[in-house]
């Protein structure tokens, strides 16, 4: 049986102390203990991407990552992407009016930012291959346009 552990996580550039079972999903530690509620619960099995955060610059589904595996790695949530919403992906999202219901958007934005870090000038095929988050509203055409806009700056 696992024991609760007190540990320090680096979230959005700040050291944060949390107490949790090592196999507690990172998502719940972020939302419940650190009150970073921009990261959403969607499916709970790592498929939809609403819970996407960036770890070492890569998109990670926080609902399926045990907090014990996140120790010692820099974690970025949507709250850490930019303090004022001025990240190029966020600006492009606004320009193309991407969100409808908005539920998937924090995860989608972080996945797009990670894509652009890895592939600064993505093709449609790059976007289709690497953007695996689900949008129930079906705004994928606007998402693609916004990613291309953010790539241009």
């Amino acid at each position: 049986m696992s024991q609760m552990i007190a540990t320090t996580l680096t979230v959005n550039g700040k050291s944060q102390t949390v107490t949790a079972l090592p196999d507690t999903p990172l998502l719940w530690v972020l939302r419940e203990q650190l009150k970073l509620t921009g990261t959403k619960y969607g499916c709970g099995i790592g498929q939809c991407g609403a819970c996407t955060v960036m770890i070492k610059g890569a998109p990670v589904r926080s609902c399926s990552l045990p907090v014990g595996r996140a120790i010692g790695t820099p974690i970025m949530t949507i709250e850490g992407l930019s303090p004022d919403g001025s990240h190029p992906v966020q600006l492009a999202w606004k320009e193309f009016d991407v969100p409808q219901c908005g539920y998937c958007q924090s995860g989608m934005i972080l996945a797009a930012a990670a894509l652009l870090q890895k592939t600064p000038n993505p093709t449609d095929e790059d976007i289709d291959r690497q953007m695996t988050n689900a949008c129930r509203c079906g705004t994928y055409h606007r998402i693609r346009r916004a990613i291309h806009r953010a790539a241009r700056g």
Side-chain angles (χ1 to χ4, degrees):
M1 187 166 187
S2 295
Q3 295 278 337
M4 296 283 275
I5 59 166
T7 190
T8 301
L9 299 175
T10 303
V11 181
N12 300 330
K14 294 182 358 185
S15 291
Q16 306 268 3
T17 301
V18 298
T19 303
L21 295 171
D23 60 349
T24 301
L26 176 62
L27 169 66
W28 298 120
V29 172
L30 294 171
R31 289 184 60 80
E32 300 297 324
Q33 291 192 39
L34 301 180
K35 305 301 183 203
L36 297 169
T37 57
T39 305
K40 304 296 186 205
Y41 173 81
C43 67
I45 58 172
Q47 294 296 308
C48 75
C51 67
T52 299
V53 297
M54 282 203 284
I55 295 183
K56 296 182 184 174
V60 173
R61 309 288 166 90
S62 66
C63 74
S64 57
L65 179 71
V67 70
R69 289 191 28 219
I71 297 169
T73 61
I75 301 162
M76 183 191 310
T77 68
I78 191 69
E79 292 91 348
L81 188 60
S82 79
D84 60 359
S86 64
H87 187 279
V89 173
Q90 292 170 309
L91 294 174
W93 244 241
K94 291 175 193 172
E95 180 180 342
F96 288 99
D97 198 24
V98 172
Q100 282 187 13
C101 82
Y103 200 80
C104 70
Q105 296 310 302
S106 62
M108 194 74 77
I109 288 169
L110 285 174
L115 164 65
L116 292 172
Q117 283 181 357
K118 181 179 174 186
T119 310
N121 191 22
T123 64
D124 284 348
E125 293 77 25
D126 294 328
I127 294 169
D128 292 346
R129 184 176 51 255
Q130 295 180 47
M131 292 294 295
T132 61
N133 296 45
C135 172
R136 293 184 69 173
C137 299
T139 64
Y140 298 107
H141 63 288
R142 286 188 255 168
I143 290 166
R144 185 182 294 134
R145 288 174 58 207
I147 291 171
H148 285 301
R149 165 68 83 221
R152 289 193 304 270

